[in-house]
Amino acid sequence: METIINLIIKGSNIMPPGHILRSFAERFGESINTEWFIEDEIYEAVFYLAEIEHIARFNAFGELLDTKTNLPLHLIKPPHAAEAAKVGELMNLIEINRNGQLFYELIARDKALIRYYLYLDEAGNLLEKRKL
Amino acid sequence: MQKNNYAHLKDEEILQKIVAEDNPVLFEILYHRYYHKVVDKVFSFIKDRKKSEEFANDILSKVYEKLPSFKGNATFSSWLYSITYNYCIDYLRFQKKLHYPDWNRQNVIPEIIDESEENLAGASYDNLLKILEIVHPEEKALLLMKYQDELSLRQIATTLRISEDAVKMRLKRARSRVIYYYKQRFAE
């Protein structure tokens, strides 16, 4: 039972190589509570910046692949809100910055509480929709 | 007699025999192995002992019906628990008792504590359980699925019907909330 306490309080203890850490620090120096994860040679940092959860992914060379931000729901832009409204109620909103291009990952649910994943570009064009 | 011969086998070995020998009676071994664990898990969310027993029966029946679809990518127990969490969260959502975005808006974490400056080395399991009772049930389920039952992010996403990125973000928030409450209530 001690394990679950340690895991919840300490989180991941994975430490990436120095060049990944330096690349991260150059971009997100003000971050706190950073946890690292590694999958298929992709280094992923989950952290807080300005009290909002972020995810930043780096390749093995330390190049930033994308950044994801867990946005408060009221910050949704009108074209994305309109797409969510076609389903029903917005439940989650993540902004993805990929080389300066913005994309949005939404979760919305209908009246029967069926949830859908919506993936949109900055203009609000629906790129993917699937039932969760 | 037959069941006793198999009682020493691992869950996955029993599952193989149920399928290979077309012997559904062997499921009783798994049923008895997990019934009380499932009841306790359900009770920790819905707080009704009689209903928890009914739900545990429903969940294990559902698992039996789904056995042909069990691919063996995860352990039987993590598969069973993911179905258990899904059942509880769905029940609470349909009862309109759960609305995570509203709750999260009304329960903003007052301060994201810098974990590098905190020392909660003496944290106790009993106190952690008390904190888990005051966070949102979906955050509690996230933490238990990830850190107690060791479900994969994909399993957690499927169970809560959210994306894997949403799982990572919400797990981060759930951990921060637990640490904040723990510090407030027990560490000062």
Side-chain angles (χ1 to χ4, degrees), chain B residues 148-185:
Chain B
Q148 179 177 274
D149 299 315
E150 299 180 342
L151 270 60
S152 68
L153 290 174
R154 182 166 296 178
Q155 281 179 305
I156 297 172
T158 304
T159 300
L160 292 180
R161 291 199 304 282
I162 56 179
S163 65
E164 285 189 43
D165 284 335
V167 169
K168 293 170 192 170
M169 304 280 196
R170 290 188 184 187
L171 259 176
K172 189 78 184 157
R173 181 165 299 184
R175 282 191 56 241
S176 295
R177 200 184 307 277
V178 165
I179 291 169
Y180 174 81
Y181 284 145
Y182 201 100
K183 186 187 170 201
Q184 288 297 309
R185 296 190 175 216

Side-chain angles (χ1 to χ4, degrees), chain A residues 1-2 4-5 7-11 32-33 35 44 46-48 51 53 55 68-70 73 89 91-92 94 105 107 109 112-113 115 117 132, chain B residues 93-94 98-99 101 105 111-115 120 123-125 128 143-144 147-148 160-163 165-166 168-170 172-173 175-176 178-179:
Chain A
M1 288 307 159
E2 291 306 313
I4 182 174
I5 301 168
L7 289 171
I8 289 177
I9 289 175
K10 293 179 182 167
I32 62 167
N33 300 349
E35 285 179 273
E44 186 173 82
V46 184
F47 56 98
Y48 271 101
E51 308 220 322
E53 299 87 6
I55 297 173
K68 300 173 183 179
T69 307
N70 193 25
L73 302 188
E89 186 181 11
M91 304 301 285
N92 207 74
I94 294 175
E105 177 194 297
I107 296 171
R109 70 179 188 186
L113 306 189
R115 287 166 173 248
Y117 169 93
L132 288 167
Chain B
R93 281 176 179 167
F94 276 99
L98 286 195
H99 193 291
R105 213 167 15 244
E111 177 194 2
I112 304 298
I113 292 172
D114 187 340
E115 294 164 18
L120 297 178
S124 78
Y125 182 65
L128 175 68
L143 292 166
L144 293 177
Y147 297 116
Q148 179 177 274
L160 292 180
R161 291 199 304 282
I162 56 179
S163 65
D165 284 335
K168 293 170 192 170
M169 304 280 196
R170 290 188 184 187
K172 189 78 184 157
R173 181 165 299 184
R175 282 191 56 241
S176 295
V178 165
I179 291 169

Side-chain angles (χ1 to χ4, degrees), chain A residues 12-25 27-28 34-47 54-68, chain B residues 153 165 168:
Chain A
S12 161
N13 57 6
I14 294 170
M15 190 56 71
H19 67 287
I20 305 283
L21 287 173
R22 281 191 294 279
S23 180
F24 175 77
R27 293 170 173 82
F28 308 105
T34 305
E35 285 179 273
W36 287 94
F37 302 90
I38 306 171
E39 193 175 344
D40 298 330
E41 294 196 38
I42 300 293
Y43 295 86
E44 186 173 82
V46 184
F47 56 98
H54 288 70
I55 297 173
R57 297 191 313 142
F58 297 83
N59 65 17
F61 302 105
E63 295 163 342
L64 180 66
L65 300 175
D66 52 36
T67 309
K68 300 173 183 179
Chain B
L153 290 174
D165 284 335
K168 293 170 192 170

Side-chain angles (χ1 to χ4, degrees), chain B residues 22 24 104 169 174:
Chain B
D22 193 20
N104 191 47
M169 304 280 196

Side-chain angles (χ1 to χ4, degrees), chain B residues 125-135 185-186:
Chain B
Y125 182 65
D126 286 345
N127 287 342
L128 175 68
L129 290 182
K130 288 174 190 163
I131 298 298
L132 289 179
E133 289 306 311
I134 58 175
V135 302
R185 296 190 175 216
F186 301 115

